[in-house]
């Protein structure tokens, strides 16, 4: 079978496609033929050796996929051959077949397409965990989303809208903000044209901002945190800007602010029942049309370097997928 391989740490251009043996499912595992694999920004970090997870070389990028079960190992009888499933691996999905523990599989209902399902776990799973489990976002509250058209950002816009919040999408161009409005943003802020702090103060009005969703970090975090109202919640999701900010903690003291870390990967391992419930909710939202599971583009495996390059340059709006 074909597999996209990282054989030496580097950039997307250093990846290669090679023939490798088909995997054999072991105890508690299923052999899944991958129909669509999803890429995320952190895949660009993993292949460069700059992510907290450092797989042994060679490995395939890709944390998640949708596929069809072709065989089952001993003890995997809870699933059936022919079932369509979401696979969450952490890495290794960018190949034609994978052997995955059945504990990391989720059945996909007929109302959800392969492309929607493939990119549902990480970005939408992260954003639902952040907004629902961490911030406990309530209907009528005001949510500001930074980097609002990246993978997790656009998911947060959609989920915030579905949860009944007033959503302010923050991004760096009019084109990106048009996309955010199409996916449920009530208000938009172009922080290439107006200082973030000023814009959030203007759009937040007298009520202010209840929740900030920040996957960007860098120079944007502190002004966004300063915009929060009394007992606001600041969600630390990631650092796409490349710099980890140093927040003056007196700001949290003066406004009673909660600074909440969002580590979906740890949530998945530590609270599997909560993850399963969130997956079921996401599939229901997509299946009933309340979430679009936006796709930026679908690329053949042979164009993986170009697809990852889009993510590395932060040009993607929505999810980037590969079709083996």
């Amino acid at each position: 079978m074909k597999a996209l391989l990282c054989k030496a740490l580097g950039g997307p251009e250093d990846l290669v496609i090679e023939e490798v043996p088909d995997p054999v499912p072991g105890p508690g595992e299923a052999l899944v033929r991958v129909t669509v694999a999803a890429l995320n920004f952190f895949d660009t970090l993993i292949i460069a050796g700059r992510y907290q997870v450092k797989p042994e070389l060679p490995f395939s990028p890709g944390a998640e996929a949708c596929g069809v079960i072709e065989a089952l190992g001993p003890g995997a009888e809870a699933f059936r051959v022919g079932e369509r499933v979401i696979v969450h691996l952490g890495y290794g999905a960018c190949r034609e077949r994978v052997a995955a523990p059945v504990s990391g599989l989720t059945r996909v209902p007929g109302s959800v397409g392969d492309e929607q399902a493939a990119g549902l776990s990480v970005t939408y799973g992260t954003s639902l965990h952040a907004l629902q489990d961490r911030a406990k976002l309530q209907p009528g509250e005001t949510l500001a989303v930074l980097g609002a058209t990246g993978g997790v950002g656009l998911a947060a816009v959609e989920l915030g809208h579905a949860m009944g919040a007033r959503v302010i999408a923050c991004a760096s161009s009019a084109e990106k903000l048009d996309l955010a409005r199409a996916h449920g943003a009530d208000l938009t802020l172009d922080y290439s044209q107006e200082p973030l702090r000023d814009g959030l103060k203007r759009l937040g009005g007298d009520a202010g901002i209840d929740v900030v969703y920040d996957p960007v970090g860098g120079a944007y975090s502190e002004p966004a945190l300063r915009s929060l109202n009394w007992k606001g919640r600041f969600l630390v999701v990631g650092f796409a800007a490349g710099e980890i900010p140093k927040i003056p903690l007196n700001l949290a003291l003066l406004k009673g602010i909660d600074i909440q870390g969002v580590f979906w990967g740890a949530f998945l391992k530590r609270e599997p029942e909560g993850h399963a419930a969130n997956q079921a909710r996401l599939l229901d939202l997509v299946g009933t049309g309340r979430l679009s599971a936006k796709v930026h583009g679908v690329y053949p495996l042979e164009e993986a370097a170009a697809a990852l390059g889009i993510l590395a340059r932060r040009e993607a709006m929505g999810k980037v997928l590969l079709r083996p």
Side-chain angles (χ1 to χ4, degrees):
M1 70 173 187
K2 289 189 299 184
L4 180 69
L5 296 177
C6 176
K7 301 182 75 173
L9 299 178
E13 67 280 0
D14 298 311
L15 298 173
V16 297
I17 296 176
E18 292 186 359
E19 290 285 332
V20 299
D22 282 358
V24 176
E29 292 185 334
L31 177 66
V32 179
R33 175 175 54 81
V34 174
T35 54
V36 188
L39 295 172
N40 294 276
F41 175 72
F42 65 76
D43 284 306
T44 68
L45 304 179
I46 289 175
I47 63 174
R50 294 169 47 218
Y51 194 62
Q52 56 259 40
V53 177
K54 293 179 169 57
E56 183 178 345
L57 296 170
F59 68 91
S60 295
E64 55 186 338
C66 179
V68 177
I69 294 176
E70 290 191 333
L72 296 167
E77 291 78 11
F79 286 82
R80 299 190 310 274
V81 171
E83 284 190 302
R84 210 161 47 102
V85 292
I86 293 171
V87 185
H88 178 72
L89 294 170
Y91 62 88
C94 292
R95 48 182 60 202
E96 291 183 313
R97 289 177 177 82
V98 297
V102 294
S103 59
L105 304 183
T106 303
R107 291 180 177 87
V108 180
S111 57
V112 179
D114 288 357
E115 293 179 3
Q116 292 174 307
L120 200 60
S121 287
V122 175
T123 54
Y124 285 87
T126 295
S127 294
L128 182 60
H129 173 53
L131 299 177
Q132 172 185 273
D133 304 327
R134 301 295 286 136
K136 295 179 170 54
L137 181 69
Q138 299 299 309
E141 288 192 314
T142 297
L143 165 69
V145 180
L146 309 189
T149 58
V152 292
L154 197 60
V157 168
E158 284 199 81
L159 283 165
H161 174 75
M163 295 169 73
R166 176 174 173 259
V167 181
I168 302 173
C170 307
S172 59
S173 74
E175 179 189 11
K176 291 179 177 180
L177 294 175
D178 286 343
L179 179 68
R181 275 190 291 270
H183 286 79
D186 299 287
L187 300 167
T188 57
L189 171 58
D190 184 344
Y191 45 61
S192 71
Q193 302 296 317
E194 179 181 14
L196 182 62
R197 175 74 178 99
D198 295 347
L200 289 177
K201 184 176 181 180
R202 172 176 59 82
L203 295 174
D206 293 338
I209 309 295
D210 296 294
V211 177
V212 167
Y213 182 99
D214 181 13
V216 179
Y220 298 100
S221 296
E222 185 175 329
L225 185 139
R226 287 180 180 274
S227 73
L228 284 167
N229 61 16
W230 173 248
K231 291 189 177 180
R233 289 90 78 201
F234 184 89
L235 294 165
V236 182
V237 183
F239 312 104
E243 179 185 348
I244 299 175
K246 295 177 174 59
I247 300 294
L249 289 180
N250 64 307
L251 299 177
L253 182 152
L254 293 172
K255 291 188 176 183
I257 289 168
D258 289 337
I259 299 175
Q260 301 177 332
V262 179
F263 190 0
W264 177 79
F267 167 70
L268 170 68
K269 294 178 180 178
R270 292 173 178 268
E271 302 179 44
E273 297 84 1
H275 164 68
N278 285 1
Q279 287 282 90
R281 183 178 185 190
L282 289 170
L283 286 165
D284 177 66
L285 288 170
V286 174
T288 55
R290 287 172 286 171
L291 287 183
S292 72
K294 166 69 180 179
V295 173
H296 174 87
V298 184
Y299 299 79
L301 196 64
E302 290 76 11
E303 295 180 15
L308 279 164
I310 290 171
L311 286 168
R313 297 189 297 272
R314 304 184 185 94
E315 296 172 353
M317 293 190 288
K319 195 62 136 178
V320 174
L321 305 178
L322 291 179
R323 190 179 294 280

